[in-house]
Amino acid sequence: ARMKSEAEERQLSLEVKERKLKSEAEDQCLEAEEADRRDQRLWEALRDKTEQERAQDCEAHSAGRDGEQRQLEEDQTIRAGGLWEEREADKGQAQEEIAKEEEEEE
């Protein structure tokens, strides 16, 4: 009876250890699954951020090009205006010289 009792105790002890190990394994599995989900969310966030940054870089580059183009157009307009003013001044000066020459001839 005593040996039977000891055998039953060992059996119960083994069953308790087995349940404990199963429980720990399940906990570890759940933790691993949660870690995988967390990693997946981080990768998705990183991918989204990378895509957003890429889009922002493209927009900034495009805006920079648009700004450069506007600046070039403004510079050309200013230069053209300056050239026009010079030309008009030269025309005016030439007309004055012609008028003086005509007065001198008369």
Side-chain angles (χ1 to χ4, degrees), residues 5-69:
S5 167
E6 287 176 5
E8 288 175 352
E9 280 183 38
R10 272 187 266 144
Q11 182 64 30
L12 285 175
S13 177
L14 288 174
E15 288 175 6
V16 167
K17 285 180 183 179
E18 184 181 347
R19 276 190 247 130
K20 185 177 177 183
L21 288 174
K22 276 186 179 178
S23 177
E24 287 174 1
E26 288 173 358
D27 290 346
Q28 288 176 353
C29 186
L30 291 174
E31 288 173 10
E33 288 173 356
E34 180 58 33
D36 286 346
R37 284 192 294 274
R38 189 172 45 247
D39 288 347
Q40 183 65 30
R41 287 191 302 268
L42 288 172
W43 277 112
E44 288 171 1
L46 180 62
R47 185 194 67 223
D48 292 346
K49 182 178 180 186
T50 302
E51 288 173 0
Q52 285 178 336
E53 287 174 346
R54 194 174 317 125
Q56 289 171 348
D57 288 348
C58 287
E59 289 173 13
H61 183 67
S62 178
R65 274 198 321 233
D66 291 347
E68 289 172 7
Q69 184 63 34

